[in-house]
Amino acid sequence: MRIAVLAGDGIGPEITAQAVRVLEALGRDGLELAIERAPVGGAGYDAAGDPLPEATLKVAERADAILFGSVGGPKYDALPRAKRPEQGLLRLRKHFDLFANLRPAIVYPELAHASTLKDEVVAGLDLLILRELTSDIYFGQPRGVRVNENGEREGFDTMRYTEGEIRRIAVLAFETARRRRRRVCSVDKANVLETTQFWRDVVAEVHAEYRDVELVHMYVDNAAMQLVRNPKQFDVIVTGNMFGDILSDEASMLTGSIGMLPSASLNARGFGLYEPIHGSAPDIAGRDVANPLATILSAAMLLRHSFGNEAGAHRIERAVRKVLAQGYRTADIAEPGKRTVGTKEMGDAVLAAL
Ligand code: IPM
Ligand code: MG
């Protein structure tokens, strides 16, 4: 397994270090592991003046999968957009055509209380947000800031989706739902936006081939509300890039902490980038307090989706459950009477549980 480790900025290096230890521990049990590290985001800019240096792209290209930390930080906020850390990630997603972003939100029984919602609302929750990741207003052209015909400055972006882009994510949503509880909720804003009315129509067309799966359509404002009102009504949520970005942050809080949510971003040939959904958290970077579990769980997704190694993925997920049951907590999920540990100690606990 050739894995490109792109740790990035902020807490990225600390959390990916723990995930790499976990992969290496499995490696000692016979998985052959070759890890290559390269800078991305602000670190890429510092090293080579580019958030996705050519050399980093080469490392990613010769790998079988990418383990990604996080990018961004106040130090880089004033840079021109093309040089900003986030561009490193967006360009990787586009370059490898990683259109399918899987963001599972699972509530571990031990953490139900850590959610800001009532236990009974979130206990047992298991939903999957399937976010389209390479199109929408994130990538649509034209975009920019211009002086309009009235001499006033105006900013503009373009929301767009092609039929093919909607079709392939819809197919994946129905296929995935068949292996789960056979329910898909497609989220749009069809009452206002042409692009998303089109989204709704194409998803409904694809559904004709998947009559055994239940499909409902929901407006994004209602979906945001339903996610905190009754999240257990959802099985698979499929949506566009921007709505998926927003709803997945919201869904993370159902699980207790954004520090718990892994993700996989896959292309049609199963090549993937694996990353926690949280950001670089510059305020706590370098202090050994960040929660590494989302990244460790991302490593489990890496084994599952890029290497078909369900047993390895399961071992990691069981180890995470075990450390939670043993009472290990990082600061974001801290609880009176439980043991608050730092990033590395949480990594140690997962290794011991493995
Ligand atoms: C995410 C992040 C990214 C996004 C940023 C860092 C570009 O928020 O992965 O959800 O908006 O997609
Ligand atoms: Mg986001």
Side-chain angles (χ1 to χ4, degrees), residues 160-348:
R160 66 193 313 153
Y161 263 114
T162 66
E163 179 176 353
E165 288 168 339
I166 302 168
R167 244 171 220 286
R168 63 181 181 174
I169 196 79
V171 164
L172 194 65
F174 293 121
E175 294 283 345
T176 308
R178 274 188 176 158
R179 297 192 297 273
R180 297 174 48 101
R181 299 191 302 279
R182 290 179 186 257
R183 281 165 43 209
V184 171
C185 174
S186 170
V187 172
D188 60 45
K189 188 70 186 174
N191 49 347
V192 178
L193 300 172
E194 298 292 336
T195 313
T196 75
Q197 176 65 57
F198 181 57
W199 170 284
R200 182 177 286 222
D201 296 345
V202 173
V203 171
E205 283 166 32
V206 175
H207 183 228
E209 313 285 311
Y210 295 91
R211 285 297 177 202
D212 54 314
V213 178
E214 176 197 299
L215 171 67
V216 297
H217 301 278
M218 201 179 273
Y219 298 140
V220 64
D221 49 350
N222 184 28
M225 187 268 281
Q226 295 296 337
L227 263 177
V228 288
R229 192 184 77 87
N230 175 20
K232 282 187 247 174
Q233 70 187 282
F234 297 111
D235 178 18
V236 175
I237 293 178
V238 64
T239 190
N241 205 345
M242 187 165 68
F243 297 159
D245 178 46
I246 299 167
L247 293 180
S248 58
D249 265 34
E250 187 189 7
S252 75
M253 277 323 288
L254 307 171
T255 73
S257 169
I258 197 166
M260 294 297 301
L261 251 70
S263 79
S265 307
L266 308 173
N267 68 18
R269 7 173 225 106
F271 179 82
L273 178 152
Y274 301 83
E275 56 169 331
I277 82 148
H278 60 69
S280 55
D283 53 324
I284 57 166
R287 289 172 35 207
D288 191 44
V289 295
N291 185 347
L293 293 179
T295 318
I296 290 173
L297 290 167
S298 298
M301 292 188 89
L302 178 150
L303 292 180
R304 172 173 296 125
H305 294 285
S306 280
F307 299 101
N309 184 348
E310 185 59 40
H314 231 91
R315 266 187 78 187
I316 296 176
E317 288 161 354
R318 273 209 316 274
V320 167
R321 268 170 213 263
K322 186 164 175 191
V323 299
L324 292 173
Q326 287 170 333
Y328 290 97
R329 301 285 186 271
T330 40
D332 55 314
I333 47 177
E335 201 186 333
K338 302 280 193 241
R339 176 126 182 261
T340 305
V341 296
T343 311
K344 172 148 187 314
E345 220 184 324
M346 187 57 110
D348 293 343

